[in-house]
Amino acid sequence: LLGEAFLISAIMFYPQFILSLRLSEFSSRADMGLGFALWGSFLPLNLISLGFPYWIFHGGKVYIGILTLLFLITALLNFKRSPQIRVLSIIMLLSLFLAFGAYNPLYVLFLKLTKFYVFRNPSKFLFFGVFAAAVLSGLGFTRFFDKNNVKLNEKSIKIFAILLLSMLGAFLFVKSSLYVLMYKIIDWGGGL
C-alpha cells in the first residue's frame, strides 16, 4: 500500500514538476547557485513552535495546537497497525527533513550532486508536513476515543504530559533567564 501511494503521488507530481522545471529554465533562476536554493531554510530551533503559537525565531513555524499534539502522538503510536498512518508519517517526516534545507547536510549534498538550484525556500515543504500532521491528528482523535486502545491511550497521555511539561519548563527557564539578565542584555545591546 505504501509503494502504491508513493507511485500515485509521483504520477500526480510529475507533470507539474516538469512544467515548473521547464518554466524555470526561461527565468532568471536558471543561473542561480546553491545559496539561492537554500534561501529560506527552516531553522531547527523553530521546532519549539510545536508548542508555542508565535514565532520564537525568524522563519516558519509548525504549530498545530496543544491538544492536537495528544492526538498526533496517539496516531504515531499506531504507526505499525495502520498503513494510512505510515504514509502520512513518512510524508510529515520527509517534508520536515526537506524543510531544514541548509541545516540538513544530506539535502545540501543532494543539491550539490544534482546541481538542481532552481527551486528556493525549502521551508515551504512545511506546508505538507503540517497538513499531514493535521490529518494524523484527526486519525489519532478517532483512535484515542476507541475503547480498544486503553493502554495505548495511557502511553499517549504520558508522552504528552512529558512533552507539555518540557515545553512549559523551557518557557519558564527562558522567561526567568531574561528577567535575571535583563539589564545585562540592555547594556550589551546599547554598545552596538
Side-chain angles (χ1 to χ4, degrees), residues 146-191:
D146 184 7
K147 292 180 176 134
N148 298 329
N149 286 336
V150 175
K151 289 183 181 180
L152 197 63
N153 291 347
E154 290 174 0
K155 190 174 181 181
S156 298
I157 291 171
K158 285 179 186 176
I159 294 170
F160 177 68
I162 291 168
L163 186 62
L164 198 59
L165 289 173
S166 299
M167 289 186 298
L168 184 60
F171 176 75
L172 292 174
F173 174 75
V174 170
K175 176 77 172 169
S176 60
S177 297
L178 287 174
Y179 183 74
V180 169
L181 300 172
M182 175 174 36
Y183 295 110
K184 289 184 180 184
I185 293 171
I186 291 171
D187 289 342
W188 177 75

Side-chain angles (χ1 to χ4, degrees), residues 62 64 88 91-93 95-96 124-134 136:
V62 289
I64 57 172
L88 288 166
I91 290 170
M92 182 180 69
L93 293 174
S95 67
L96 187 63
K124 299 257 178 171
F125 285 110
L126 286 177
F127 171 78
F128 301 107
V130 171
F131 179 77
L136 280 170

Side-chain angles (χ1 to χ4, degrees), residues 34-183:
L34 182 63
F36 179 79
L38 296 175
W39 177 84
S41 296
F42 180 69
L43 184 66
L45 290 174
N46 274 343
L47 283 174
I48 199 166
S49 68
L50 200 63
F52 299 102
Y54 49 85
W55 278 273
I56 307 296
F57 302 101
H58 180 71
K61 62 180 183 169
V62 289
Y63 181 75
I64 57 172
I66 295 295
L67 191 56
T68 308
L69 287 176
L70 173 64
F71 302 131
L72 178 63
I73 291 167
T74 304
L76 293 175
L77 290 176
N78 281 290
F79 183 82
K80 291 181 181 176
R81 293 186 201 172
S82 172
Q84 298 94 345
I85 290 175
R86 281 192 294 253
V87 170
L88 288 166
S89 299
I90 290 171
I91 290 170
M92 182 180 69
L93 293 174
L94 182 64
S95 67
L96 187 63
F97 178 78
L98 294 172
F100 286 144
Y103 308 106
N104 180 350
L106 294 175
Y107 184 75
V108 174
L109 180 65
F110 171 76
L111 289 177
K112 286 181 179 178
L113 291 175
T114 60
K115 305 271 191 244
F116 190 68
Y117 304 139
V118 294
F119 294 118
R120 68 172 180 181
N121 203 358
S123 64
K124 299 257 178 171
F125 285 110
L126 286 177
F127 171 78
F128 301 107
V130 171
F131 179 77
V135 175
L136 280 170
S137 297
L139 290 169
F141 178 82
T142 304
R143 308 239 176 194
F144 188 80
F145 290 105
D146 184 7
K147 292 180 176 134
N148 298 329
N149 286 336
V150 175
K151 289 183 181 180
L152 197 63
N153 291 347
E154 290 174 0
K155 190 174 181 181
S156 298
I157 291 171
K158 285 179 186 176
I159 294 170
F160 177 68
I162 291 168
L163 186 62
L164 198 59
L165 289 173
S166 299
M167 289 186 298
L168 184 60
F171 176 75
L172 292 174
F173 174 75
V174 170
K175 176 77 172 169
S176 60
S177 297
L178 287 174
Y179 183 74
V180 169
L181 300 172
M182 175 174 36
Y183 295 110

